[in-house]
Structures are given as C-alpha cells and as structure tokens.
Amino acid sequence: MQQEFAVKIPSTYNPGVECIPVTERLPPFGKKVLACSWMSVAYYVAFVSPAGQWYLSFGDSPILGITHWMSLPELPQGGVVV
C-alpha cells in the first residue's frame, strides 16, 4: 500500500525548485531527473520510458514506487555527465 509523505529537498540542493508529483506530470521521456520512491524512501537519478516505466539512469533496472521527481541541478564548472 502506498504511503503518503511530504517530499522536501533542501533549498541548497536546487533553490526554488519543488518536487513534482507523478500524478501531476512526468518529465520528458529519457530525461535524467532526481526521482523519489516511497518503497525504499530513496532518491535516484532516473528516467521514464515512453511506456511510463521508471529506470535507473545507468542501466536497465526498473524502479517501482516513484511518487515525485525534480530536475537535476546544473553541473558545477568543469563537471561531466556520465
């Protein structure tokens, strides 16, 4: 059974950006975002497929129970995406 809980990201992480419930909208397909799962109460860098399934950003492992997501912050100067 899904539990209701508040999702808060410290403002130092991504100031002015709120978590978006998946019931409100999903990110663009394939875009890497920070996703929150109620099943493990953890945050993941993940993406959603055109079929609506969430996956870890670095592989083909599906993630269950995603309730909220938010855009990733800008990379620091000289940072790279892996």
Side-chain angles (χ1 to χ4, degrees):
M1 171 181 263
Q2 183 172 345
Q3 300 173 353
E4 295 296 324
F5 61 94
V7 177
K8 289 285 188 190
I9 301 288
S11 60
T12 54
Y13 173 77
N14 208 356
V17 176
E18 297 287 326
C19 285
I20 301 164
V22 296
T23 55
E24 186 178 308
R25 67 184 160 101
L26 293 174
F29 301 129
K31 178 182 179 185
K32 292 179 182 177
V33 297
L34 186 66
C36 178
S37 170
W38 71 270
M39 294 184 74
S40 61
V41 190
Y43 293 100
Y44 304 96
V45 176
F47 66 92
V48 68
S49 73
Q53 177 65 50
W54 287 88
Y55 290 92
L56 293 174
S57 66
F58 55 83
D60 57 2
S61 300
I63 308 169
L64 301 176
I66 298 298
T67 60
H68 294 75
W69 65 274
M70 68 183 295
S71 296
L72 291 170
E74 294 296 321
L75 290 174
Q77 197 75 335
V80 295
V81 176
V82 291

